[in-house]
């Protein structure tokens, strides 16, 4: 069922913003790459090349992309360019990605040396942005053999984790305002007010995608410990049917609901963490979440077509389209829910691909007794 659903979805997909380079399309590209890597089915690559090529003009420029906007979201689809360069050896793909790398060279940063989320969100770090920019920078650094760039990614990621961590809740907050200027930011900590599930989902995916690109050593050990701690906390926050809520730690809120994009992201995170050597309980929890998500939310819409339901369309902080998003529980529960939004379908592809990889794996976990993730989990 899932294969047919994904094939129909991507065949009928229309660019999220009319063809302009954007992170939403990048979510689909990550899903297509994951499905190809799990299956070897080149039809997924055919779709990827078709769609990415449609966003590059005859001069090799990214359509609709303006570096001067310093929008961190625009970096995410660049991972498809780096991947296609590695797959095909064609330099044109990496040349197109170079524009995004140049943005990150001059992108504004906080005093702690972490990228601002966007030029129009000054002095702010959002969890979303960690996923949008840092795995790309890591993969681009490997493509051009730049160890200094890898080190910078790790410094930024570690600093951002420290700044967004809410010790009392043992979770990460959606946003941090270094300047303490935003009404959504706590005057003391600079943190936003609530724990939005998908923002933590973006962070969780950044964890495993960065860890995957690291050799064994102190840096990987540090991130393994932090990711294992997050995984353990997520297991505590599951609903009775193995999903996660829109406001992840507020089951007491009557309007709260199991949100599909966060659930798909956590399924991917937990399964991949297990595949990278973490406890099998992580992977089992991720697979259980995927089964529940498909059973509960992949169902016909009013027009009879199969759709993934209960996806939060968008959420953010600060002013947007004439509205101030204050980061409260009530705000997150007020945002539009849209079936089949790519921010849910892309992670669903990725979570399903992890399940396929698990089925293909023939190596028992006992063959990895020294893996940092397992050691980190065992210490908890």
């Amino acid at each position: 069922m899932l294969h047919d659903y994904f094939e129909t979805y991507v065949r009928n997909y229309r660019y999220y913003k009319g063809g302009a380079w954007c992170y939403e399309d990048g979510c689909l590209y990550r899903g297509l790459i994951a499905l190809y890597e799990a299956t070897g089915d080149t039809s997924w690559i055919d779709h990827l090349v078709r769609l990415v090529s449609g966003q590059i003009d005859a001069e090799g420029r990214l359509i609709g992309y303006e570096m001067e906007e310093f929008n961190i979201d625009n970096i995410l689809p660049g991972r498809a360019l780096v991947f296609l360069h590695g797959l095909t050896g064609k330099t044109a793909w990496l040349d197109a990605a170079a524009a995004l790398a140049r943005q990150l060279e001059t992108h504004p940063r906080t005093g702690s040396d972490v990228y601002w989320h966007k030029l129009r969100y000054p002095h702010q770090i959002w969890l979303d942005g960690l996923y949008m920019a840092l795995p790309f920078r890591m993969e681009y650094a490997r493509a051009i053999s730049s160890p200094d760039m890898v080190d910078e990614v790790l410094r930024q990621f570690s600093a951002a984790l420290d700044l967004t961590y809410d010790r009392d809740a043992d979770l990460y907050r959606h946003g941090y305002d270094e300047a303490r200027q935003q009404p959504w930011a706590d005057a003391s900590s600079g943190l936003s007010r609530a724990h939005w599930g998908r923002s933590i989902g973006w962070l969780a995916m950044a964890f495993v995608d960065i860890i995957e690109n690291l050799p064994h050593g102190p840096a990987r050990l540090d991130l393994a410990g932090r990711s294992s701690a997050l995984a353990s906390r997520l297991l505590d926050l599951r609903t009775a049917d193995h999903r996660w809520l829109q406001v992840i730690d507020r089951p007491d809120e009557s309007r709260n609901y199991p949100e599909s994009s966060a659930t798909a992201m956590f399924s991917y995170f937990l399964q991949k963490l297990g595949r990278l050597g973490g406890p099998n309980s992580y992977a089992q929890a991720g697979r259980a979440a995927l089964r529940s998500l498909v059973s509960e939310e992949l169902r016909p819409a009013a027009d009879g077509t199969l759709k993934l339901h209960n996806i939060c369309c968008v959420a953010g902080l600060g002013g947007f389209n004439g509205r101030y998003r204050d980061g409260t529980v009530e705000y997150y529960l007020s945002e539009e829910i849209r079936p089949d939004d790519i921010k849910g379908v892309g992670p669903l592809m990725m979570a399903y691909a992890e399940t396929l990889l698990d089925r293909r794996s023939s190596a028992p976990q006992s063959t990895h007794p020294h893996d940092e993730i397992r050691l980190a989990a065992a210490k908890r």
Side-chain angles (χ1 to χ4, degrees), residues 253-267:
E253 288 290 336
S254 60
R255 295 170 57 212
N256 212 350
Y257 61 96
E259 200 278 324
S260 293
S261 67
T263 297
M265 290 175 178
F266 293 140
S267 173

Side-chain angles (χ1 to χ4, degrees), residues 273-337:
L273 198 58
R275 178 166 62 82
L276 292 174
N280 190 49
S281 59
Y282 293 168
Q284 289 175 337
R287 290 191 293 272
L290 177 62
R291 288 192 297 270
S292 179
L293 178 59
V294 170
S295 173
E296 296 293 332
E297 301 296 356
L298 192 62
R299 47 189 164 80
D303 62 2
T305 59
L306 197 63
K307 294 183 183 295
L308 183 66
H309 294 263
N310 268 337
I311 303 170
C312 174
C313 178
V314 68
L317 296 164
F320 183 71
N321 286 345
R323 177 189 185 192
Y324 193 84
R325 303 170 296 182
D326 63 5
T328 59
V329 172
E330 293 75 16
Y331 158 68
Y332 288 114
L333 298 181
S334 72
E335 279 288 9
E336 176 189 355
I337 297 171

Side-chain angles (χ1 to χ4, degrees), residues 14 38 72 103 114 140 149 171 186 204 208 216 270 297 330 347:
R14 298 293 179 266
I72 208 79
Q103 175 185 324
V114 179
Y140 186 82
M149 193 179 291
L171 283 170
D186 180 85
V208 288
H216 295 283
L270 290 166
E297 301 296 356
E330 293 75 16

Side-chain angles (χ1 to χ4, degrees), residues 194-368:
H195 300 104
W196 179 37
R198 187 161 77 219
S199 70
I200 301 172
W202 294 122
L203 174 64
M205 295 197 299
F207 261 122
V208 288
D209 288 4
I210 290 173
I211 289 172
E212 184 179 38
N213 284 284
L214 289 174
H216 295 283
R220 180 164 170 150
L221 178 61
D222 176 63
L223 292 190
R226 292 184 188 232
S227 62
S228 183
L230 176 59
S232 178
R233 182 71 174 114
L234 290 174
L235 297 187
D236 293 338
L237 292 170
R238 289 174 294 179
T239 63
D241 63 356
H242 306 283
R243 292 184 287 164
W244 286 271
L245 299 173
Q246 166 76 341
V247 182
I248 195 169
D249 59 344
R250 294 297 303 272
D252 56 307
E253 288 290 336
S254 60
R255 295 170 57 212
N256 212 350
Y257 61 96
E259 200 278 324
S260 293
S261 67
T263 297
M265 290 175 178
F266 293 140
S267 173
Y268 168 75
F269 164 67
L270 290 166
Q271 290 185 82
K272 189 166 183 176
L273 198 58
R275 178 166 62 82
L276 292 174
N280 190 49
S281 59
Y282 293 168
Q284 289 175 337
R287 290 191 293 272
L290 177 62
R291 288 192 297 270
S292 179
L293 178 59
V294 170
S295 173
E296 296 293 332
E297 301 296 356
L298 192 62
R299 47 189 164 80
D303 62 2
T305 59
L306 197 63
K307 294 183 183 295
L308 183 66
H309 294 263
N310 268 337
I311 303 170
C312 174
C313 178
V314 68
L317 296 164
F320 183 71
N321 286 345
R323 177 189 185 192
Y324 193 84
R325 303 170 296 182
D326 63 5
T328 59
V329 172
E330 293 75 16
Y331 158 68
Y332 288 114
L333 298 181
S334 72
E335 279 288 9
E336 176 189 355
I337 297 171
R338 179 185 297 172
D340 256 9
D341 191 281
I342 189 54
K343 294 181 286 294
V345 178
L348 180 65
M349 291 176 169
M350 296 158 63
Y352 178 60
E354 284 298 322
T355 298
L356 297 178
L357 285 170
D358 178 71
R359 292 174 185 170
R360 287 174 51 190
S361 175
S362 59
Q365 287 210 352
S366 59
T367 62
H368 306 287

